Amino acid sequence: MHIAEGFLPPAHAIGWTVAAAPFVAHGARAVVTEVRENPESTLLLGAAGAFTFVLSAIKLPSVTGSSSHPTGTGPGAILFRPPVMALLGTVVLLFQALLLAHGGLTTLGANAFAFAVVGPWAGYGAYRLTRAAGAGLLPAVFVGVALADLATYLMTSLQLALAFPDATSGFVGALAKFLAVFALTQVPLAIGEGLLGVLLFRVLTRNARPELERLGVLEPATPTTAGSPL
Amino acid sequence: MKRSALVTALIVVTVVALFAVPLIVNPGAGYGGADGRVTEELEADGYEPWFDSFFSPAGETESGLFALQAALGGGVLGYVLGRLRGRRAAAEAATATATAEPATAEPATATPATTTPAETDQR
């Protein structure tokens, strides 16, 4: 999902930066509000940020013979709603752009829009829909986390196709070309990431029940507080 | 608890298999980054990047920095999960000692109360 430094024409680079900026600013406010109003959230917020930090650092091989990064933005979006991830995701991208020459400053807007905005929102939406359809927490987490990953790369393909329409087949042809590179490679990664999300939430449901209940991820178990650990 | 540990093990094995299988089935493939492939295609089409990174680490340094990123994230994640687990253990120990005298059934119900909803959620 990292469009390399200098690889988007200036107009596109500026356009995506303008598009992503309000989401990131709103996300920064969401993080500050969350920490101020619920200081006990800081720990889980750290876990959500750490999860993207680890996963986006890892390159994994895929069935297509190329490798790609997971995104790790899903769990944070599910726990704290997507705006929070707009900031945390952009911090990760900035780290990679400045220190790793992975992605770039001119493409930060476009990459942030895919990785920190579209991915988290798509994942969160899928999670909510799955839960509304009656699924339990963990299946919905799987779907949400996997889709956050996949949607990020679909968005990147879209961005590249907009910037580089094919000479003969135009936008659609270019989209097919970039999807061929990204989408199929990403499918096993998205499944793996969804499973890792399930593992994380299994640990959280066991050890962070009060937080999950407060965040509305879990229903309060017994209103009578009979066997509540806290 | 037994069943839960089995589920965890199964998930871990599946994740590992998901990424090990391509390497075993097709060890000859280069497994270059998809990001890099796009960049190469665009350059092959004659696109010239108009801006360069201020700092591009050399290959080995780059791997090290990626490892550093993963280590930072893994460290924080481990710290948080460890704290949460320790907190639950402490809370359970507190309820166990507080209720040890009057009702021995209390801690026994306390443990399923924390695990059962997680179990039901998995279905």
Side-chain angles (χ1 to χ4, degrees):
Chain A
M1 124 305 297
H2 300 85
I3 302 176
E5 183 75 285
F7 268 85
L8 277 185
H12 287 259
I14 293 167
W16 288 114
T17 305
V18 171
F23 285 97
V24 178
H26 177 234
R29 285 190 56 181
V31 170
V32 171
T33 316
E34 182 69 38
V35 170
R36 192 181 297 151
E37 288 177 5
N38 303 301
E40 69 274 20
S41 286
T42 318
L43 216 50
L44 273 192
L45 211 51
F51 194 77
T52 19
F53 223 65
V54 187
L55 286 200
S56 61
I58 300 169
K59 260 188 197 168
L60 290 168
S62 181
V63 280
T64 53
S66 42
S67 58
S68 187
H69 301 270
T71 65
T73 52
I78 290 169
L79 286 171
F80 293 102
R81 305 194 70 255
V84 163
M85 293 318 290
L87 178 73
L88 297 185
T90 306
V91 170
V92 173
L93 291 176
L94 200 60
F95 179 93
Q96 296 186 323
L98 290 176
L99 289 181
L100 303 168
H102 220 73
L105 294 177
T106 60
T107 50
L108 183 65
N111 289 334
F113 199 84
F115 178 84
V117 178
V118 170
W121 275 106
Y124 179 71
Y127 161 79
R128 288 297 298 266
L129 280 176
T130 316
R131 293 222 63 179
L137 173 66
L138 295 180
V141 163
F142 174 77
V143 172
V145 173
L147 231 83
D149 177 319
L150 208 55
T152 301
Y153 283 82
L154 298 184
M155 188 64 209
T156 301
S157 306
L158 203 72
Q159 289 170 326
L160 285 166
L162 280 172
F164 303 102
D166 195 79
T168 47
S169 51
F171 167 76
V172 177
L175 184 61
K177 183 178 77 181
F178 291 119
L179 281 176
V181 177
F182 283 126
L184 197 59
T185 302
Q186 205 61 27
V187 169
L189 270 76
I191 294 171
E193 189 174 341
L195 290 173
L196 289 177
V198 170
L199 277 184
L200 177 69
F201 272 79
R202 278 164 57 86
V203 176
L204 291 182
T205 47
R206 223 164 291 151
N207 297 316
R209 237 200 135 76
E211 281 86 354
L212 295 192
E213 286 173 5
R214 192 181 54 71
L215 292 166
V217 173
L218 280 180
E219 298 286 318
T222 40
T224 46
T225 69
S228 169
L230 277 182
Chain B
M1 228 20 183
K2 273 256 173 69
R3 202 186 77 107
S4 159
L6 187 71
V7 173
T8 306
L10 271 177
I11 295 176
V12 172
V13 168
T14 313
V15 172
V16 171
L18 215 48
F19 303 113
V21 162
L23 291 176
I24 295 165
V25 170
N26 188 2
Y31 294 104
D35 290 331
R37 240 181 86 192
V38 165
T39 319
E40 281 163 24
E41 277 182 21
L42 291 177
E43 277 183 323
D45 289 346
Y47 183 83
E48 292 270 341
W50 55 279
F51 196 84
D52 272 330
S53 300
F54 293 115
F55 168 69
S56 298
E60 294 297 315
T61 321
E62 187 190 320
S63 317
L65 287 169
F66 266 112
L68 177 70
Q69 189 194 330
L72 285 173
V76 172
L77 194 61
Y79 169 77
V80 171
L81 296 183
R83 265 194 70 160
L84 290 172
R85 196 188 149 85
R87 188 188 65 179
R88 191 196 69 172
E92 272 173 10
T95 34
T97 45
T99 54
E101 272 293 291
T104 6
E106 187 62 26
T109 48
T111 329
T114 51
T115 48
T116 334
E119 307 270 338
T120 38
D121 282 332
Q122 284 157 26
R123 291 185 198 122

